Amino acid sequence: MSAKKAIGLLFFCLLFVSTPGNSFARDAAEKESTALNQKVQTSRLSGINLWIAETYNSERTLYAITVTIVMAALGTSLAFLTDLVLKALGLEVSRISHRE
Amino acid sequence: MDIFNIYLPIAGIEFNALLLVLIGFCVGVLGGFFGVGGGWIVTPALNIFGFQMAFAIGTDLSNIFGQTIGAVKKHQKMGNIDWKLGLISIATSIVGLEIGSEVIIALEKAGDVGMIVRWCYMLLLWGLGSYMLRDYYAMRPRESKDEDMGREQSSRNKSGNGRPRISERLHRITIPPMISFPSSGIEGVSIWIILLVFLFTGFLSGFLGVGGGFIIMPALVYLIGLPTAVAVGTSLVTVLFSGAYGCFTYALKGRVEMIAALILLVGSAIGVQIGATAVKYIRGYGIRLLFAVMILLAGCSIAIEQVYKLTDIAVYSTTAGLVIMGTAMCMVLIIIVRLVLESKRGKKLRL
Protein backbone atom coordinates (compact mmCIF):
# COMPACT_ATOMS: atom_id res chain seq x y z
CA MET A 1 0.00 0.00 0.00
CA SER A 2 1.35 3.42 -0.91
CA ALA A 3 2.03 6.09 1.74
CA LYS A 4 -0.76 8.24 0.30
CA LYS A 5 -3.22 5.38 0.67
CA ALA A 6 -2.05 4.64 4.19
CA ILE A 7 -2.52 8.29 5.24
CA GLY A 8 -5.98 8.30 3.70
CA LEU A 9 -6.79 5.10 5.55
CA LEU A 10 -5.57 6.53 8.84
CA PHE A 11 -7.65 9.65 8.28
CA PHE A 12 -10.79 7.62 7.72
CA CYS A 13 -9.95 5.47 10.72
CA LEU A 14 -9.74 8.56 12.92
CA LEU A 15 -12.88 9.97 11.34
CA PHE A 16 -14.72 6.75 12.03
CA VAL A 17 -13.56 6.52 15.61
CA SER A 18 -14.31 10.16 16.35
CA THR A 19 -17.71 10.48 14.66
CA PRO A 20 -20.87 10.18 16.67
CA GLY A 21 -21.78 7.34 14.27
CA ASN A 22 -22.34 3.75 15.18
CA SER A 23 -24.52 4.99 17.98
CA PHE A 24 -26.53 1.80 17.97
CA ALA A 25 -23.55 -0.19 19.17
CA ARG A 26 -22.68 2.57 21.61
CA ASP A 27 -26.22 2.67 22.94
CA ALA A 28 -26.18 -1.11 23.38
CA ALA A 29 -23.12 -0.77 25.57
CA GLU A 30 -24.55 2.17 27.47
CA LYS A 31 -27.70 0.26 28.31
CA GLU A 32 -25.71 -1.54 30.95
CA SER A 33 -24.08 1.64 32.17
CA THR A 34 -25.06 0.89 35.76
CA ALA A 35 -22.75 -2.10 35.71
CA LEU A 36 -19.99 -0.32 33.83
CA ASN A 37 -18.32 1.12 36.86
CA GLN A 38 -17.83 -2.26 38.47
CA LYS A 39 -14.29 -3.13 39.50
CA VAL A 40 -12.59 -6.44 38.95
CA GLN A 41 -11.39 -8.30 42.07
CA THR A 42 -7.60 -8.41 41.84
CA SER A 43 -6.78 -10.24 45.08
CA ARG A 44 -6.56 -13.71 43.46
CA LEU A 45 -4.82 -12.54 40.28
CA SER A 46 -1.17 -12.49 39.31
CA GLY A 47 1.09 -11.78 36.31
CA ILE A 48 -0.53 -10.57 33.11
CA ASN A 49 -4.05 -11.11 34.46
CA LEU A 50 -3.28 -8.80 37.36
CA TRP A 51 -1.88 -6.12 35.04
CA ILE A 52 -4.93 -6.33 32.75
CA ALA A 53 -7.34 -6.15 35.69
CA GLU A 54 -5.52 -3.21 37.28
CA THR A 55 -5.46 -1.30 34.00
CA TYR A 56 -9.16 -2.11 33.54
CA ASN A 57 -9.95 -0.82 37.04
CA SER A 58 -7.90 2.36 37.02
CA GLU A 59 -7.14 3.42 33.42
CA ARG A 60 -10.07 2.53 31.19
CA THR A 61 -8.78 4.60 28.26
CA LEU A 62 -5.39 2.90 28.44
CA TYR A 63 -7.20 -0.45 28.60
CA ALA A 64 -9.19 0.42 25.44
CA ILE A 65 -6.07 1.56 23.58
CA THR A 66 -4.15 -1.54 24.70
CA VAL A 67 -6.94 -3.89 23.57
CA THR A 68 -7.19 -2.19 20.17
CA ILE A 69 -3.43 -2.16 19.53
CA VAL A 70 -2.85 -5.70 20.79
CA MET A 71 -5.70 -7.08 18.67
CA ALA A 72 -4.31 -5.33 15.59
CA ALA A 73 -0.76 -6.51 16.26
CA LEU A 74 -1.73 -10.11 17.01
CA GLY A 75 -4.11 -10.20 14.03
CA THR A 76 -1.35 -9.01 11.70
CA SER A 77 1.30 -11.36 13.13
CA LEU A 78 -0.94 -14.42 13.00
CA ALA A 79 -2.05 -13.55 9.46
CA PHE A 80 1.61 -13.36 8.42
CA LEU A 81 2.47 -16.70 10.05
CA THR A 82 -0.60 -18.48 8.65
CA ASP A 83 0.21 -17.08 5.22
CA LEU A 84 3.68 -18.64 5.45
CA VAL A 85 2.23 -22.02 6.44
CA LEU A 86 -0.33 -21.92 3.61
CA LYS A 87 2.42 -21.01 1.15
CA ALA A 88 4.44 -23.99 2.35
CA LEU A 89 1.37 -26.17 1.73
CA GLY A 90 1.16 -24.90 -1.83
CA LEU A 91 -1.82 -22.62 -1.22
CA GLU A 92 -0.11 -19.43 -2.27
CA VAL A 93 -2.35 -16.61 -3.43
CA SER A 94 -1.70 -14.02 -6.06
CA ARG A 95 -3.83 -11.62 -8.09
CA ILE A 96 -6.83 -13.57 -9.39
CA SER A 97 -9.02 -13.16 -12.43
CA HIS A 98 -12.56 -12.34 -11.37
CA ARG A 99 -14.75 -14.87 -13.12
CA GLU A 100 -18.17 -15.76 -11.87
CA MET B 1 -11.47 -31.04 28.72
CA ASP B 2 -11.30 -29.20 32.02
CA ILE B 3 -7.54 -28.79 31.62
CA PHE B 4 -8.28 -26.16 28.98
CA ASN B 5 -10.44 -24.13 31.36
CA ILE B 6 -9.02 -20.70 32.06
CA TYR B 7 -10.12 -17.88 34.30
CA LEU B 8 -11.16 -14.73 32.48
CA PRO B 9 -10.46 -11.88 34.93
CA ILE B 10 -12.62 -9.13 33.40
CA ALA B 11 -15.74 -11.20 32.73
CA GLY B 12 -15.12 -13.05 36.00
CA ILE B 13 -15.92 -16.49 34.61
CA GLU B 14 -14.10 -19.71 33.73
CA PHE B 15 -14.14 -20.65 30.06
CA ASN B 16 -12.76 -23.44 27.90
CA ALA B 17 -9.91 -22.02 25.80
CA LEU B 18 -10.20 -24.79 23.21
CA LEU B 19 -13.85 -23.91 22.64
CA LEU B 20 -12.86 -20.26 22.15
CA VAL B 21 -10.25 -21.22 19.54
CA LEU B 22 -12.80 -23.43 17.76
CA ILE B 23 -15.48 -20.71 17.68
CA GLY B 24 -12.84 -18.25 16.45
CA PHE B 25 -11.65 -20.61 13.74
CA CYS B 26 -15.19 -21.16 12.39
CA VAL B 27 -16.04 -17.48 12.29
CA GLY B 28 -12.64 -16.70 10.77
CA VAL B 29 -13.14 -19.08 7.85
CA LEU B 30 -16.61 -17.63 7.19
CA GLY B 31 -15.32 -14.06 7.54
CA GLY B 32 -12.53 -14.52 5.02
CA PHE B 33 -14.74 -16.42 2.61
CA PHE B 34 -17.94 -14.37 2.68
CA GLY B 35 -16.64 -10.94 3.68
CA VAL B 36 -18.64 -10.82 6.89
CA GLY B 37 -17.67 -10.10 10.47
CA GLY B 38 -19.61 -13.04 11.87
CA GLY B 39 -20.99 -11.27 14.93
CA TRP B 40 -24.26 -13.12 14.50
CA ILE B 41 -22.40 -16.39 15.15
CA VAL B 42 -19.91 -15.51 17.88
CA THR B 43 -22.17 -13.31 20.01
CA PRO B 44 -24.90 -15.96 20.57
CA ALA B 45 -22.23 -18.65 20.96
CA LEU B 46 -20.41 -16.75 23.73
CA ASN B 47 -23.72 -15.86 25.31
CA ILE B 48 -24.88 -19.50 25.37
CA PHE B 49 -21.62 -20.59 27.01
CA GLY B 50 -21.88 -18.08 29.83
CA PHE B 51 -20.80 -14.59 28.70
CA GLN B 52 -23.06 -11.67 29.58
CA MET B 53 -24.52 -10.24 26.34
CA ALA B 54 -22.59 -6.92 26.52
CA PHE B 55 -19.30 -8.80 27.07
CA ALA B 56 -20.16 -11.20 24.24
CA ILE B 57 -20.72 -8.28 21.82
CA GLY B 58 -17.62 -6.34 22.91
CA THR B 59 -15.31 -9.36 22.85
CA ASP B 60 -16.68 -10.39 19.48
CA LEU B 61 -16.14 -6.93 17.97
CA SER B 62 -12.52 -6.97 19.16
CA ASN B 63 -12.04 -10.34 17.51
CA ILE B 64 -13.67 -9.09 14.30
CA PHE B 65 -11.20 -6.20 14.20
CA GLY B 66 -8.17 -8.46 14.67
CA GLN B 67 -9.24 -11.14 12.22
CA THR B 68 -10.35 -8.72 9.50
CA ILE B 69 -6.90 -7.09 9.30
CA GLY B 70 -5.49 -10.39 8.01
CA ALA B 71 -8.44 -10.93 5.67
CA VAL B 72 -8.12 -7.45 4.15
CA LYS B 73 -4.38 -7.98 3.62
CA LYS B 74 -4.99 -11.27 1.87
CA HIS B 75 -7.83 -9.99 -0.33
CA GLN B 76 -5.70 -6.97 -1.21
CA LYS B 77 -3.00 -9.35 -2.44
CA MET B 78 -5.56 -11.12 -4.63
CA GLY B 79 -6.79 -7.81 -6.08
CA ASN B 80 -10.19 -8.24 -4.43
CA ILE B 81 -10.46 -4.81 -2.80
CA ASP B 82 -11.82 -1.65 -4.33
CA TRP B 83 -10.54 0.90 -1.79
CA LYS B 84 -12.36 3.84 -3.36
CA LEU B 85 -15.70 2.08 -3.11
CA GLY B 86 -14.88 0.72 0.35
CA LEU B 87 -14.09 4.15 1.76
CA ILE B 88 -17.23 5.67 0.21
CA SER B 89 -19.20 2.83 1.78
CA ILE B 90 -17.79 3.60 5.25
CA ALA B 91 -18.50 7.33 5.04
CA THR B 92 -22.03 6.87 3.70
CA SER B 93 -22.94 3.95 5.91
CA ILE B 94 -22.32 6.07 9.02
CA VAL B 95 -25.13 8.42 7.95
CA GLY B 96 -27.45 5.50 7.16
CA LEU B 97 -26.55 3.87 10.45
CA GLU B 98 -27.48 7.01 12.38
CA ILE B 99 -30.86 7.17 10.60
CA GLY B 100 -31.45 3.47 11.35
CA SER B 101 -30.63 3.88 15.03
CA GLU B 102 -32.89 6.96 15.25
CA VAL B 103 -35.76 4.89 13.81
CA ILE B 104 -35.06 2.24 16.46
CA ILE B 105 -35.19 4.84 19.23
CA ALA B 106 -38.49 6.17 17.86
CA LEU B 107 -39.92 2.64 17.67
CA GLU B 108 -38.68 1.91 21.19
CA LYS B 109 -40.88 4.70 22.50
CA ALA B 110 -43.85 3.25 20.61
CA GLY B 111 -43.61 -0.35 21.82
CA ASP B 112 -41.77 -3.67 21.55
CA VAL B 113 -38.97 -2.81 19.16
CA GLY B 114 -37.24 -6.19 19.54
CA MET B 115 -40.15 -8.02 17.97
CA ILE B 116 -40.26 -5.65 14.97
CA VAL B 117 -36.51 -5.87 14.43
CA ARG B 118 -36.55 -9.67 14.52
CA TRP B 119 -39.39 -9.83 11.98
CA CYS B 120 -37.51 -7.47 9.66
CA TYR B 121 -34.30 -9.43 10.19
CA MET B 122 -36.05 -12.70 9.30
CA LEU B 123 -37.72 -11.26 6.23
CA LEU B 124 -34.44 -9.73 5.06
CA LEU B 125 -32.47 -12.95 5.51
CA TRP B 126 -35.10 -15.16 3.89
CA GLY B 127 -35.80 -12.68 1.10
CA LEU B 128 -32.14 -12.21 0.30
CA GLY B 129 -31.36 -15.91 0.61
CA SER B 130 -34.27 -16.92 -1.66
CA TYR B 131 -33.29 -14.33 -4.24
CA MET B 132 -29.69 -15.50 -4.30
CA LEU B 133 -30.76 -19.16 -4.56
CA ARG B 134 -33.13 -18.34 -7.41
CA ASP B 135 -30.37 -16.40 -9.13
CA TYR B 136 -27.99 -19.33 -8.73
CA TYR B 137 -30.39 -21.89 -10.19
CA ALA B 138 -31.46 -19.54 -12.99
CA MET B 139 -27.85 -19.10 -14.09
CA ARG B 140 -26.62 -22.67 -13.55
CA PRO B 141 -27.86 -24.21 -16.82
CA ARG B 142 -26.25 -21.30 -18.62
CA GLU B 143 -23.00 -21.85 -16.76
CA SER B 144 -22.87 -25.54 -17.71
CA LYS B 145 -23.67 -24.69 -21.31
CA ASP B 146 -20.86 -22.14 -21.39
CA GLU B 147 -18.45 -24.63 -19.89
CA ASP B 148 -19.47 -27.28 -22.42
CA MET B 149 -18.67 -24.83 -25.15
CA GLY B 150 -15.25 -24.29 -23.59
CA ARG B 151 -15.75 -20.69 -22.61
CA GLU B 152 -13.65 -19.65 -19.69
CA GLN B 153 -15.64 -16.55 -18.89
CA SER B 154 -19.33 -17.10 -18.48
CA SER B 155 -21.83 -14.29 -18.57
CA ARG B 156 -23.79 -13.35 -15.48
CA ASN B 157 -26.80 -11.94 -17.25
CA LYS B 158 -28.50 -11.80 -20.53
CA SER B 159 -27.25 -8.33 -21.39
CA GLY B 160 -23.79 -9.82 -21.80
CA ASN B 161 -21.69 -7.32 -19.85
CA GLY B 162 -21.44 -9.56 -16.81
CA ARG B 163 -23.66 -7.67 -14.36
CA PRO B 164 -26.81 -8.86 -12.58
CA ARG B 165 -30.02 -7.40 -13.97
CA ILE B 166 -30.84 -5.04 -11.07
CA SER B 167 -27.41 -3.42 -11.17
CA GLU B 168 -27.68 -3.18 -14.95
CA ARG B 169 -30.88 -1.15 -14.53
CA LEU B 170 -29.27 1.04 -11.88
CA HIS B 171 -26.28 1.66 -14.15
CA ARG B 172 -28.66 3.04 -16.80
CA ILE B 173 -29.55 5.93 -14.47
CA THR B 174 -27.08 8.61 -15.48
CA ILE B 175 -27.72 11.47 -13.07
CA PRO B 176 -24.42 13.42 -12.83
CA PRO B 177 -21.85 13.38 -11.38
CA MET B 178 -20.72 10.00 -12.65
CA ILE B 179 -17.98 8.05 -10.94
CA SER B 180 -15.85 5.13 -12.12
CA PHE B 181 -14.36 2.21 -10.20
CA PRO B 182 -11.62 0.76 -12.41
CA SER B 183 -10.62 -1.88 -9.81
CA SER B 184 -14.15 -3.31 -10.01
CA GLY B 185 -14.49 -2.93 -13.76
CA ILE B 186 -17.19 -0.25 -13.39
CA GLU B 187 -16.65 2.42 -16.01
CA GLY B 188 -19.31 4.88 -14.99
CA VAL B 189 -22.16 5.00 -12.52
CA SER B 190 -24.09 7.85 -10.96
CA ILE B 191 -22.61 8.70 -7.57
CA TRP B 192 -26.18 9.11 -6.28
CA ILE B 193 -26.83 5.41 -6.87
CA ILE B 194 -23.72 4.50 -4.90
CA LEU B 195 -24.65 6.84 -2.05
CA LEU B 196 -28.24 5.57 -1.94
CA VAL B 197 -27.12 1.94 -1.85
CA PHE B 198 -24.73 2.53 1.05
CA LEU B 199 -27.24 4.74 2.83
CA PHE B 200 -29.66 1.83 2.60
CA THR B 201 -27.14 -0.78 3.82
CA GLY B 202 -26.06 1.58 6.62
CA PHE B 203 -29.70 2.10 7.58
CA LEU B 204 -30.22 -1.67 7.79
CA SER B 205 -27.08 -2.02 9.93
CA GLY B 206 -28.34 0.61 12.35
CA PHE B 207 -31.88 -0.71 12.34
CA LEU B 208 -30.94 -4.37 12.85
CA GLY B 209 -27.95 -3.67 15.10
CA VAL B 210 -25.49 -5.66 13.02
CA GLY B 211 -22.04 -4.95 11.57
CA GLY B 212 -23.38 -5.07 8.05
CA GLY B 213 -21.01 -7.39 6.18
CA PHE B 214 -23.79 -9.78 5.23
CA ILE B 215 -25.85 -6.87 3.86
CA ILE B 216 -23.03 -5.07 2.05
CA MET B 217 -21.62 -8.12 0.25
CA PRO B 218 -24.84 -8.98 -1.67
CA ALA B 219 -25.59 -5.25 -2.17
CA LEU B 220 -22.22 -4.83 -3.87
CA VAL B 221 -22.90 -7.82 -6.13
CA TYR B 222 -26.55 -7.29 -7.01
CA LEU B 223 -26.97 -3.51 -6.81
CA ILE B 224 -23.58 -2.15 -7.80
CA GLY B 225 -22.50 -5.05 -10.00
CA LEU B 226 -19.14 -6.04 -8.51
CA PRO B 227 -17.63 -9.47 -9.18
CA THR B 228 -18.31 -11.66 -6.11
CA ALA B 229 -14.65 -11.90 -5.02
CA VAL B 230 -14.26 -8.10 -5.15
CA ALA B 231 -17.53 -7.70 -3.23
CA VAL B 232 -16.18 -10.02 -0.52
CA GLY B 233 -12.91 -8.06 -0.21
CA THR B 234 -14.53 -4.62 -0.37
CA SER B 235 -17.17 -5.58 2.18
CA LEU B 236 -14.35 -6.51 4.56
CA VAL B 237 -13.06 -2.92 4.44
CA THR B 238 -16.31 -1.74 6.02
CA VAL B 239 -16.24 -4.63 8.50
CA LEU B 240 -12.66 -3.67 9.46
CA PHE B 241 -13.61 -0.10 10.32
CA SER B 242 -16.77 -0.99 12.22
CA GLY B 243 -14.75 -3.66 14.07
CA ALA B 244 -12.04 -1.12 14.98
CA TYR B 245 -14.59 1.35 16.25
CA GLY B 246 -16.58 -1.33 18.09
CA CYS B 247 -13.44 -2.77 19.69
CA PHE B 248 -12.33 0.61 21.02
CA THR B 249 -15.69 1.88 22.21
CA TYR B 250 -16.70 -1.37 23.94
CA ALA B 251 -13.27 -1.63 25.60
CA LEU B 252 -13.66 1.94 26.80
CA LYS B 253 -16.95 0.97 28.38
CA GLY B 254 -15.30 -2.02 30.01
CA ARG B 255 -17.12 -4.62 27.98
CA VAL B 256 -14.23 -6.41 26.27
CA GLU B 257 -12.77 -9.52 27.90
CA MET B 258 -9.25 -9.09 26.57
CA ILE B 259 -7.96 -12.60 27.29
CA ALA B 260 -10.99 -14.20 25.63
CA ALA B 261 -10.66 -11.88 22.62
CA LEU B 262 -6.99 -12.84 22.21
CA ILE B 263 -7.74 -16.56 22.36
CA LEU B 264 -10.63 -16.15 19.91
CA LEU B 265 -8.25 -14.31 17.62
CA VAL B 266 -5.76 -17.20 17.58
CA GLY B 267 -8.47 -19.36 15.96
CA SER B 268 -10.01 -16.69 13.78
CA ALA B 269 -6.74 -15.29 12.38
CA ILE B 270 -5.85 -18.77 11.13
CA GLY B 271 -9.41 -19.40 9.90
CA VAL B 272 -9.66 -16.12 8.05
CA GLN B 273 -6.55 -16.90 5.97
CA ILE B 274 -8.03 -20.26 4.99
CA GLY B 275 -11.38 -18.65 4.13
CA ALA B 276 -9.78 -15.91 2.04
CA THR B 277 -7.59 -18.44 0.22
CA ALA B 278 -10.69 -20.50 -0.60
CA VAL B 279 -12.09 -17.51 -2.55
CA LYS B 280 -9.34 -18.12 -5.09
CA TYR B 281 -10.45 -21.70 -5.69
CA ILE B 282 -14.24 -21.44 -5.56
CA ARG B 283 -16.12 -19.62 -8.29
CA GLY B 284 -18.29 -16.58 -7.62
CA TYR B 285 -21.55 -18.50 -8.00
CA GLY B 286 -20.34 -21.16 -5.55
CA ILE B 287 -19.66 -18.46 -2.96
CA ARG B 288 -23.10 -16.97 -3.49
CA LEU B 289 -24.83 -20.36 -3.22
CA LEU B 290 -23.19 -21.11 0.14
CA PHE B 291 -23.93 -17.58 1.34
CA ALA B 292 -27.60 -17.96 0.37
CA VAL B 293 -27.93 -21.26 2.26
CA MET B 294 -26.19 -19.78 5.29
CA ILE B 295 -28.41 -16.73 5.57
CA LEU B 296 -31.57 -18.82 5.02
CA LEU B 297 -30.56 -20.97 8.00
CA ALA B 298 -29.62 -17.85 9.97
CA GLY B 299 -33.19 -16.65 9.30
CA CYS B 300 -34.48 -19.95 10.76
CA SER B 301 -32.38 -19.33 13.87
CA ILE B 302 -33.93 -15.87 14.29
CA ALA B 303 -37.40 -17.44 13.83
CA ILE B 304 -36.67 -19.87 16.69
CA GLU B 305 -35.44 -16.95 18.80
CA GLN B 306 -38.72 -15.21 18.01
CA VAL B 307 -40.63 -18.25 19.32
CA TYR B 308 -38.54 -18.04 22.50
CA LYS B 309 -39.48 -14.39 22.97
CA LEU B 310 -43.16 -15.24 22.53
CA THR B 311 -43.24 -18.36 24.74
CA ASP B 312 -40.36 -17.64 27.16
CA ILE B 313 -39.29 -21.30 27.00
CA ALA B 314 -35.49 -21.27 27.39
CA VAL B 315 -34.88 -24.31 25.19
CA TYR B 316 -35.86 -22.30 22.09
CA SER B 317 -33.17 -19.74 22.77
CA THR B 318 -30.52 -22.46 23.15
CA THR B 319 -31.81 -24.18 19.99
CA ALA B 320 -31.54 -20.91 18.05
CA GLY B 321 -27.91 -20.56 19.12
CA LEU B 322 -27.16 -24.17 18.29
CA VAL B 323 -28.77 -23.84 14.83
CA ILE B 324 -26.56 -20.89 13.95
CA MET B 325 -23.45 -22.58 15.32
CA GLY B 326 -24.29 -25.86 13.54
CA THR B 327 -24.80 -23.96 10.29
CA ALA B 328 -21.48 -22.18 10.73
CA MET B 329 -19.62 -25.44 11.39
CA CYS B 330 -21.18 -27.18 8.37
CA MET B 331 -20.26 -24.24 6.15
CA VAL B 332 -16.68 -24.25 7.43
CA LEU B 333 -16.43 -27.97 6.69
CA ILE B 334 -17.77 -27.48 3.15
CA ILE B 335 -15.39 -24.58 2.47
CA ILE B 336 -12.32 -26.50 3.71
CA VAL B 337 -13.24 -29.66 1.77
CA ARG B 338 -13.82 -27.63 -1.41
CA LEU B 339 -10.54 -25.77 -0.87
CA VAL B 340 -8.59 -29.02 -0.50
CA LEU B 341 -10.29 -30.65 -3.51
CA GLU B 342 -9.96 -27.63 -5.77
CA SER B 343 -6.33 -26.98 -4.83
CA LYS B 344 -5.52 -30.65 -5.56
CA ARG B 345 -7.27 -30.32 -8.90
CA GLY B 346 -5.30 -27.15 -9.58
CA LYS B 347 -2.05 -28.92 -8.85
CA LYS B 348 -2.97 -31.79 -11.17
CA LEU B 349 -3.74 -29.32 -13.93
CA ARG B 350 -0.34 -27.71 -13.50
CA LEU B 351 1.37 -31.10 -13.73
Side-chain angles (χ1 to χ4, degrees):
Chain A
M1 195 190 301
S2 67
K4 201 176 160 189
K5 248 182 192 173
I7 292 166
L9 203 65
L10 189 68
F11 170 74
F12 268 95
C13 193
L14 289 172
L15 179 80
F16 199 73
V17 170
S18 59
T19 48
N22 246 346
S23 66
F24 190 69
R26 199 178 56 236
D27 292 344
E30 281 172 357
K31 270 177 191 169
E32 299 194 25
S33 57
T34 48
L36 283 184
N37 301 324
Q38 74 182 29
K39 303 285 180 198
V40 174
Q41 291 291 328
T42 53
S43 52
R44 288 193 305 147
L45 302 175
S46 60
I48 188 79
N49 276 357
L50 178 63
W51 183 80
I52 290 171
E54 278 178 348
T55 314
Y56 178 90
N57 284 343
S58 55
E59 291 280 345
R60 195 58 64 79
T61 309
L62 178 65
Y63 177 74
I65 293 169
T66 308
V67 169
T68 311
I69 290 173
V70 169
M71 293 308 283
L74 187 68
T76 311
S77 318
L78 286 171
F80 178 72
L81 288 175
T82 314
D83 206 25
L84 285 180
V85 174
L86 288 175
K87 259 184 205 170
L89 292 171
L91 293 169
E92 193 172 0
V93 295
S94 52
R95 192 162 276 271
I96 60 171
S97 63
H98 297 117
R99 62 199 188 105
E100 296 296 307
Chain B
M1 295 301 253
D2 283 354
I3 52 162
F4 293 107
N5 277 4
I6 51 161
Y7 181 69
L8 304 172
I10 308 297
I13 54 169
E14 281 219 347
F15 208 91
N16 191 303
L18 206 60
L19 186 65
L20 276 174
V21 174
L22 186 70
I23 295 171
F25 179 76
C26 286
V27 81
V29 173
L30 298 178
F33 188 71
F34 292 122
V36 296
W40 39 291
I41 300 161
V42 177
T43 304
L46 292 180
N47 190 230
I48 286 172
F49 291 116
F51 268 69
Q52 279 176 30
M53 192 46 109
F55 270 113
I57 297 171
T59 306
D60 175 35
L61 281 167
S62 303
N63 171 58
I64 286 173
F65 172 50
Q67 78 171 35
T68 312
I69 291 174
V72 166
K73 189 174 161 276
K74 191 115 187 172
H75 278 284
Q76 166 79 358
K77 203 173 169 186
M78 291 193 282
N80 289 346
I81 295 182
D82 189 325
W83 284 99
K84 193 172 160 187
L85 195 58
L87 295 177
I88 292 175
S89 102
I90 293 163
T92 319
S93 296
I94 291 171
V95 181
L97 208 138
E98 275 300 318
I99 300 169
S101 59
E102 288 302 322
V103 172
I104 285 290
I105 291 162
L107 282 173
E108 210 166 35
K109 286 173 190 161
D112 186 5
V113 67
M115 195 65 85
I116 300 166
V117 168
R118 274 190 298 278
W119 274 113
C120 293
Y121 207 166
M122 261 190 294
L123 291 175
L124 177 76
L125 291 172
W126 282 338
L128 199 58
S130 311
Y131 179 80
M132 290 176 85
L133 266 188
R134 199 181 68 102
D135 176 66
Y136 175 80
Y137 284 107
M139 288 296 156
R140 214 167 74 138
R142 211 178 152 73
E143 288 266 305
S144 331
K145 206 175 164 185
D146 284 351
E147 275 174 10
D148 290 346
M149 290 167 74
R151 289 178 198 165
E152 195 183 63
Q153 185 90 26
S154 67
S155 61
R156 280 159 64 193
N157 71 348
K158 288 182 175 114
S159 65
N161 64 2
R163 286 197 197 101
R165 278 203 193 91
I166 306 174
S167 83
E168 188 55 32
R169 280 184 199 146
L170 291 175
H171 279 243
R172 276 192 216 124
I173 302 168
T174 52
I175 306 167
M178 302 294 279
I179 188 167
S180 65
F181 298 99
S183 320
S184 308
I186 295 173
E187 284 163 11
V189 60
S190 169
I191 196 160
W192 300 109
I193 299 296
I194 302 290
L195 295 180
L196 274 176
V197 167
F198 290 130
L199 210 61
F200 177 65
T201 54
F203 170 79
L204 285 177
S205 286
F207 185 75
L208 301 173
V210 292
F214 82 94
I215 304 167
I216 291 170
M217 194 281 252
L220 289 173
V221 173
Y222 291 102
L223 300 179
I224 300 182
L226 261 66
T228 311
V230 182
V232 169
T234 308
S235 158
L236 281 169
V237 176
T238 317
V239 173
L240 174 68
F241 281 93
S242 57
Y245 177 74
C247 171
F248 185 77
T249 192
Y250 268 84
L252 203 59
K253 289 172 177 66
R255 284 298 176 265
V256 174
E257 171 46 69
M258 191 177 169
I259 300 286
L262 289 172
I263 298 170
L264 264 176
L265 185 58
V266 171
S268 66
I270 296 168
V272 87
Q273 295 295 311
I274 294 171
T277 306
V279 171
K280 182 188 171 185
Y281 293 95
I282 300 172
R283 295 182 68 162
Y285 266 99
I287 299 172
R288 286 194 238 166
L289 172 69
L290 292 175
F291 189 83
V293 174
M294 193 175 69
I295 60 173
L296 282 172
L297 289 168
C300 294
S301 162
I302 309 273
I304 300 169
E305 185 71 23
Q306 186 81 319
V307 175
Y308 161 67
K309 296 287 174 188
L310 290 169
T311 60
D312 212 22
I313 301 171
V315 73
Y316 285 116
S317 180
T318 313
T319 310
L322 292 175
V323 166
I324 199 72
M325 280 163 57
T327 305
M329 288 174 92
C330 288
M331 282 294 154
V332 168
L333 206 64
I334 292 169
I335 293 166
I336 292 175
V337 169
R338 284 292 302 271
L339 170 64
V340 171
L341 292 178
E342 294 294 327
S343 67
K344 273 186 181 170
R345 210 168 75 169
K347 274 181 192 167
K348 274 181 193 165
L349 283 174
R350 277 201 292 273
L351 289 169

